[in-house]
Amino acid sequence: MQWVIGAYTLCLATLSLSAGALGDAQTFHEPRERGRVIAGAAMAGGLAGVVGPTAGGLLIALAGWQAIFLVNLPIGAAILWMGARSVSESADPEHASLDR
């Protein structure tokens, strides 16, 4: 039962991140580019929905559940590294903070 609750929690977190990413597509991309950006996000989500469970199930069947960390940790580290290199600072130094 605990894994079911965890799986639903993970799904809700993923949905909230997806909505934020599509909101960013509206904010940071020109109108003529938005369709391509949203199509890319939809394609990546669809591909992940097909490949992820299949590859994960195969990996668990062949090497055990601990092997998932051998895949997830390097992917997470690569995403953090790419994000740190490509996401620019968005804070506005002229904007007053909530504490003032």
Side-chain angles (χ1 to χ4, degrees), residues 3-57:
W3 73 269
V4 173
I5 294 170
Y8 278 107
T9 303
L10 184 60
C11 287
L12 289 173
T14 303
L15 288 173
S16 67
L17 290 174
S18 298
L22 291 177
D24 288 346
Q26 293 288 341
T27 303
F28 296 116
H29 294 283
E30 296 294 324
R32 66 180 189 279
E33 295 178 358
R34 288 180 189 154
R36 189 177 65 209
V37 170
I38 292 172
M43 182 182 68
L47 186 64
V50 171
V51 174
T54 304

Side-chain angles (χ1 to χ4, degrees), residues 1 10 16 25-26 30 32 35 40 43-44 48 53 57 65 68-69 72-74 76 87 90 92 98:
M1 183 64 168
L10 184 60
S16 67
Q26 293 288 341
E30 296 294 324
R32 66 180 189 279
M43 182 182 68
W65 67 268
I68 295 297
F69 294 104
N72 285 343
L73 289 177
V87 176
S90 62
D92 182 5
L98 293 175

Side-chain angles (χ1 to χ4, degrees), residues 60-87:
I60 289 171
L62 294 176
W65 67 268
Q66 295 91 343
I68 295 297
F69 294 104
L70 296 175
V71 175
N72 285 343
L73 289 177
I75 290 173
I79 289 171
L80 287 173
W81 179 76
M82 287 188 298
R85 289 184 47 91
S86 62
V87 176

